[in-house]
Amino acid sequence: MGASLIVREYDPSWVQLFQQLRGFVIPVLSDFVVTIEHVGSTSVPGLAAKPIVDIDVVVPKQSDVLKAVQGLATLGYVHEGDLGVTGREAFIPPVNVTWHHLYVCTIDNAEYKRHILFRDYLRSHPEDAKQYGDLKLELAQRYQNDRLAYTNAKGDFVREILQRAGWK
């Protein structure tokens, strides 16, 4: 992955890519998965985003996380551990598949709940989504080679949206 940060105008093909990826992983997860959700900015119609699809694979309980890790490994996913987010396991996709972020967590995971709350709020408040998209386009220009600064600069807006959405 190149160092420079790219944020693009919304692309409806992101939804199709999510559907394809969901179809790719579901055979090894279908026995126990609760849901597979398209999260992150690519999941909000009209929202500018880094063109990388984020997927949350949600399982009932902690023991199912291990089953998911094993199942995904058979498809070529590489388990990266929680990357500092407790209870949410991250994966590197197989080499022959479009780059994306895939996470596995349990239904009661706080990060998952936050993802869904944020996504659903922006989906139902297009004016806030537009504002967020504009902010991201501007920040991506300003912090082209500094992902951390970009992420930190978005933080206040993200926290404000989560608060409005009822995050405690």
Side-chain angles (χ1 to χ4, degrees), residues 10 12-27 36-39 42-43 53-55 77 97 100 119 123:
Y10 179 75
S13 73
W14 293 336
V15 176
Q16 288 152 324
L17 178 57
F18 164 73
Q19 296 293 357
Q20 278 171 1
L21 293 167
R22 185 183 183 282
F24 177 62
V25 299
I26 200 81
I36 298 174
E37 295 283 347
H38 186 185
V39 294
T42 61
S43 70
V53 167
D54 290 306
I55 300 171
Y77 280 87
V97 175
H100 58 282
R119 179 197 71 187
R123 279 179 173 176

Side-chain angles (χ1 to χ4, degrees), residues 130-146:
K130 171 88 175 82
Q131 204 185 343
Y132 186 43
D134 291 346
L135 174 70
K136 293 200 316 176
L137 288 163
E138 179 199 320
L139 293 174
Q141 291 268 276
R142 194 185 312 165
Y143 300 115
Q144 264 169 9
N145 300 307
D146 191 343

Side-chain angles (χ1 to χ4, degrees), residues 76-110:
Y77 280 87
V78 177
H79 182 214
E80 288 187 286
D82 70 9
L83 301 184
V85 181
T86 309
R88 187 189 78 173
E89 302 298 312
F91 294 82
I92 297 170
V95 284
N96 57 337
V97 175
T98 305
W99 182 263
H100 58 282
H101 296 148
L102 183 135
Y103 304 101
V104 173
C105 61
T106 56
I107 187 89
D108 57 1
N109 181 266

Side-chain angles (χ1 to χ4, degrees), residues 1 5-9 11 14 17 41-42 48-54 98-101:
M1 303 304 305
L5 191 66
I6 296 162
V7 172
R8 297 218 176 103
E9 292 295 345
D11 185 341
W14 293 336
L17 178 57
S41 293
T42 61
K50 292 197 298 277
I52 300 166
V53 167
D54 290 306
T98 305
W99 182 263
H100 58 282
H101 296 148

Side-chain angles (χ1 to χ4, degrees), residues 54-66:
D54 290 306
I55 300 171
D56 281 353
V57 170
V58 185
V59 298
K61 53 191 188 302
Q62 203 53 46
S63 57
D64 296 314
V65 172
L66 185 60

